[in-house]
């Protein structure tokens, strides 16, 4: 049940007929893994905690650096040098003490990643490197857990949802294959702060839709964001029957 304080805290989204009390209860009962607490993970964690998602599992092995603060808004100047997980937990606990927080401060290997994914209902990929994205995708396919994937670099962003519970859904590997040889990071190519805020906010929205059961999640669709011209383009993405990750999964 929802307490009187929770009814008041979440009253504005409970007013939405698409969420209502039942949707809010589903959010409260949900467990979510956020992989990466940087530019994307910051708005994701803040908005999911504010919305009343019951349990947030926070995964990041890095520490806060001064260069992060231009875009990683869950951290502040007092957090420099602290593990990102600890910094984020402090901020999220202050924002909503009703949310349970689970820390993953070490890099997730194959076994620990599989266990972390199995322990939740949904995963958000907020990391900044292809190898981790591939590993997270494979773990989600194996555990049949929905994955909300976002990316941003320079002035371009992307967003999609992969849901192995749905027969028609592609996975991350269907779309990107083995990636590219020369993968740039934000520290090498740069990124504008509001862009990662936009992509992360959209990731949080997709997660709420999946968890509360409303709207049309972006399964089988890829959103491309051009921040320079403020243009949005959507592409259809099909499942690859020969995909090395999900091709044999029914």
């Amino acid at each position: 049940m929802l307490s009187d304080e929770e009814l008041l805290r979440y009253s504005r989204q409970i007013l939405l007929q698409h969420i209502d009390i039942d949707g809010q209860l589903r959010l409260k009962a949900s467990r979510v893994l956020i992989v990466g607490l940087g530019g994307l993970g910051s708005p994701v964690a803040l908005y999911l905690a504010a919305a009343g998602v019951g349990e947030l599992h926070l995964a990041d092995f890095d520490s806060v650096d001064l260069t992060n603060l231009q875009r990683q808004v869950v951290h502040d100047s007092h957090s420099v040098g602290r593990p990102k997980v600890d910094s984020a937990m402090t901020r999220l606990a202050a924002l909503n003490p009703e949310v349970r927080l689970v820390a993953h401060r070490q890099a997730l290997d194959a076994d620990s990643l599989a266990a972390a994914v199995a322990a939740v209902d949904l995963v958000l990929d907020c990391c900044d490197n292809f190898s981790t994205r591939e590993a997270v995708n494979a773990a989600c396919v194996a555990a049949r857990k929905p994955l909300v994937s976002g990316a941003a670099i320079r002035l371009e962003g992307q967003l999609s949802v992969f849901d192995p519970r749905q027969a028609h859904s592609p996975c991350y590997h269907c779309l990107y294959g083995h990636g590219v040889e020369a993968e740039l990071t934000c520290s090498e190519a740069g990124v504008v702060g509001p862009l990662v805020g936009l992509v992360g906010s959209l990731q949080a929205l997709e997660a709420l839709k999946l968890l509360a059961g409303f709207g049309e999640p972006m399964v089988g669709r890829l959103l491309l964001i051009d921040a320079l011209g403020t243009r949005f383009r959507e592409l259809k993405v099909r499942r690859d029957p020969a995909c090395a990750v999900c091709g044999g999964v029914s």
Side-chain angles (χ1 to χ4, degrees):
M1 299 296 293
L2 296 172
S3 67
D4 289 344
E5 183 175 333
E6 287 174 316
L7 287 171
L8 183 59
R9 178 185 287 269
Y10 309 124
S11 59
R12 297 302 185 269
Q13 64 189 30
I14 289 174
L15 283 172
L16 299 171
Q17 63 175 353
H18 298 90
I19 298 180
D20 207 344
I21 295 291
D22 289 341
Q24 192 63 51
L25 286 170
R26 284 192 287 270
L27 292 179
K28 183 177 181 178
S30 296
R31 301 161 299 165
V32 169
L33 171 64
I34 303 172
V35 182
L37 293 167
L40 299 174
S42 289
V44 163
L46 289 167
Y47 274 118
L48 294 188
V53 172
E55 190 170 291
L56 296 180
H57 295 227
L58 309 175
D60 200 308
F61 61 87
D62 203 1
S63 296
V64 180
D65 186 82
L66 184 61
T67 60
N68 300 150
L69 301 184
Q70 162 256 358
R71 64 197 179 281
Q72 300 182 15
V73 295
V74 77
H75 313 296
D76 59 34
S77 296
H78 298 290
S79 301
V80 172
R82 293 185 69 194
K84 288 185 178 180
V85 167
D86 294 348
S87 170
M89 289 179 71
T90 298
R91 177 71 180 93
L92 298 176
L95 176 64
N96 189 351
E98 300 294 331
V99 176
R100 298 179 299 278
L101 302 173
V102 178
H104 296 277
R105 297 182 180 88
Q106 307 300 319
L108 296 174
D109 59 22
D111 292 337
S112 59
L113 178 58
V117 170
V120 299
D121 305 301
L122 179 144
V123 180
L124 291 115
D125 170 14
C126 302
C127 68
D128 62 357
N129 67 88
F130 183 78
S131 59
T132 302
R133 294 181 188 279
E134 274 279 82
V136 170
N137 174 69
C140 287
V141 170
R144 300 183 66 83
K145 299 295 174 72
L147 171 64
V148 181
S149 178
I153 195 166
R154 296 192 180 102
L155 291 160
E156 299 175 349
Q158 298 182 5
L159 173 77
S160 191
V161 174
F162 308 107
D163 192 347
R165 301 171 301 178
Q166 301 185 29
H168 71 281
S169 173
C171 76
Y172 183 86
H173 192 83
C174 291
L175 181 57
Y176 294 103
H178 294 287
V180 294
E181 293 184 5
E183 182 189 13
L184 292 176
T185 64
C186 291
S187 62
E188 297 167 320
V191 66
V192 65
L195 174 62
V196 291
L198 172 62
V199 176
S201 296
L202 288 172
Q203 284 184 270
L205 176 60
E206 292 299 307
L208 293 179
K209 287 157 62 177
L210 287 160
L211 295 170
F214 69 93
E216 182 185 354
M218 289 200 66
V219 178
R221 296 182 289 151
L222 174 66
L223 181 67
L224 301 177
I225 301 170
D226 169 17
L228 191 62
T230 315
R231 293 183 175 89
F232 298 80
R233 187 160 60 104
E234 183 181 301
L235 304 177
K236 297 291 185 182
V237 182
R238 299 185 183 277
R239 185 175 183 181
D240 179 5
C243 175
V245 176
C246 72
V249 178
S250 59

